[in-house]
Amino acid sequence: MSSQIVVPAPASATPEEEFLTAFERANLPSEYKQHYFAKRQNFHASIQGFPELWNLYLLLDKIILREFEDLTMRPDLKKLFPLFLYIEAHVKIRASMELALSVCLPEARSILRDGIEFVAHAHHMLKDPELQKTWLNKNEEAEAFRAAFEKDKKAGLFNGLDELHTKWGELSETGAHATINAVCQRYVQTEDDKGINFRWNYCGVDVQPLVLELFTMVTTFFKMEEMLFLDYEDRLKLDDILLGMRRDFETRKETLRRKLIAHFELKPPPSPLIVNP
């Protein structure tokens, strides 16, 4: 992996020169350049505006990478293939976070949903190693695959993963599937003396829902990492540095949770009304 020194843009640079490379400015058509510029600017603004959240995510990313390093050094061959699916889930986590920081939230949700599904498949195979053969032979034994991985997902594939199953369902409705919940934040309607106007935002959302969604995503990433740790705990519990990193993450996560609750003056949901027949 190479590194480079990033030279700050001169004070006289235009916003386009600051956020787009010379190659991008020369090769992107104007209508696409505007879209790409907005995403890039949002990405930078999110990192700069929410540094605690960004650093919390980076710590979790380091934790996951350390776990992969531990598990790929003299690996347990019987548990190696499910680990590949956990690595794929990490790829999804990174892509999802990049999109979320760029304020492309429905796309971020859709990819995060995919990542959760990879975690569920890996965990399912680790409970029953014979399922690795079923997974690998999907093209030849489609019915066996459907029975093992697709039929009644809550009781089968997501058995024991209640939180992840709930989040997977939410992300289906707010990102992956064509529903009103997936697009409502993008639609903006205003009215003036000329009539009703509307626009469709390809990216962008108000600050409070963005911050809360980013935090929720990081906690979901943590639940995915937690399953990785538990599935390979016999090996990972021997890494004292990793255990310290996980404790540090938990402390910082809860500290940030309290700060967000106080900053946005969030109230707990009302208790359900109990009606005695």
Side-chain angles (χ1 to χ4, degrees):
M1 182 181 293
S2 62
S3 60
Q4 63 184 47
I5 298 174
V6 179
V7 181
S12 59
T14 66
E16 188 175 288
E17 291 171 333
E18 182 178 357
F19 289 101
L20 298 179
T21 66
F23 177 85
E24 291 162 351
R25 296 197 301 272
N27 288 278
L28 295 178
S30 59
E31 63 276 7
Y32 193 85
K33 188 185 297 182
Q34 182 180 9
H35 169 67
Y36 202 69
F37 168 75
K39 288 175 60 180
R40 184 75 61 79
Q41 190 175 36
N42 285 342
F43 183 79
H44 288 212
S46 296
I47 292 174
Q48 186 177 41
F50 320 127
E52 280 187 90
L53 219 163
W54 170 243
N55 289 326
L56 184 68
Y57 163 71
L58 288 182
L59 175 57
L60 184 59
D61 192 74
K62 290 179 181 178
I63 288 170
I64 295 171
L65 289 177
R66 186 174 183 90
E67 288 168 338
F68 290 158
E69 183 178 355
D70 286 347
L71 295 171
T72 52
M73 188 181 303
R74 298 177 184 172
D76 179 348
L77 297 181
K78 293 180 181 179
K79 301 174 74 172
L80 183 59
F81 183 71
L83 179 62
F84 294 161
L85 298 195
Y86 270 113
I87 293 173
E88 181 63 24
H90 180 237
V91 174
K92 303 287 186 184
I93 285 173
R94 283 184 163 182
S96 178
M97 192 60 174
E98 283 187 35
L99 284 166
L101 291 168
S102 301
V103 201
C104 298
L105 295 179
E107 292 72 30
R109 296 173 192 135
S110 182
I111 292 176
L112 177 52
R113 175 186 180 272
D114 296 342
I116 290 174
E117 197 160 303
F118 271 100
V119 167
H121 279 236
H123 179 70
H124 200 45
M125 283 188 275
L126 286 167
K127 291 189 297 182
D128 180 0
E130 287 298 311
L131 290 176
Q132 294 185 43
K133 298 177 183 177
T134 305
W135 199 95
L136 289 166
N137 292 327
K138 177 185 178 180
N139 294 336
E140 293 77 27
E141 301 175 13
E143 189 57 42
F145 180 89
R146 281 193 291 270
F149 290 93
E150 296 179 349
K151 184 179 179 181
D152 193 4
K153 285 190 174 181
K154 183 175 182 179
L157 180 64
F158 282 94
N159 183 32
L161 306 178
D162 292 347
E163 282 191 60
L164 287 179
H165 180 261
T166 298
K167 180 54 65 176
W168 178 82
E170 291 174 2
L171 294 168
S172 300
E173 284 296 305
T174 59
H177 294 164
T179 69
I180 184 63
N181 295 323
V183 300
C184 61
Q185 285 183 314
R186 285 209 164 116
Y187 178 74
V188 179
Q189 180 175 304
T190 59
E191 187 172 358
D192 56 26
D193 55 356
K194 296 181 180 179
I196 297 175
N197 306 296
F198 76 90
R199 72 173 184 271
W200 203 264
N201 292 331
Y202 274 62
C203 60
V205 73
D206 292 337
V207 170
Q208 179 173 333
L210 173 61
V211 175
L212 297 181
E213 177 127 16
L214 287 171
F215 181 77
T216 299
M217 288 180 66
V218 172
T219 60
T220 301
F221 298 159
F222 171 67
K223 295 306 297 185
M224 297 162 72
E225 180 278 330
E226 187 176 54
M227 288 315 307
L228 169 65
F229 181 84
L230 292 174
D231 278 339
Y232 294 88
E233 186 174 11
D234 57 339
R235 180 74 175 270
L236 296 177
K237 68 182 180 182
L238 304 177
D239 185 340
D240 290 337
I241 293 176
L242 173 65
L243 298 181
M245 293 169 70
R246 297 186 81 247
R247 287 192 296 269
D248 185 29
F249 176 86
E250 182 64 30
T251 299
R252 289 164 62 175
K253 173 173 67 71
E254 293 309 310
T255 298
L256 182 55
R257 187 196 303 276
R258 291 191 293 271
K259 285 184 178 180
L260 293 176
I261 290 172
H263 180 76
F264 292 114
E265 299 180 347
L266 301 176
K267 306 296 182 184
S271 300
L273 180 63
I274 299 175
V275 179
N276 293 320

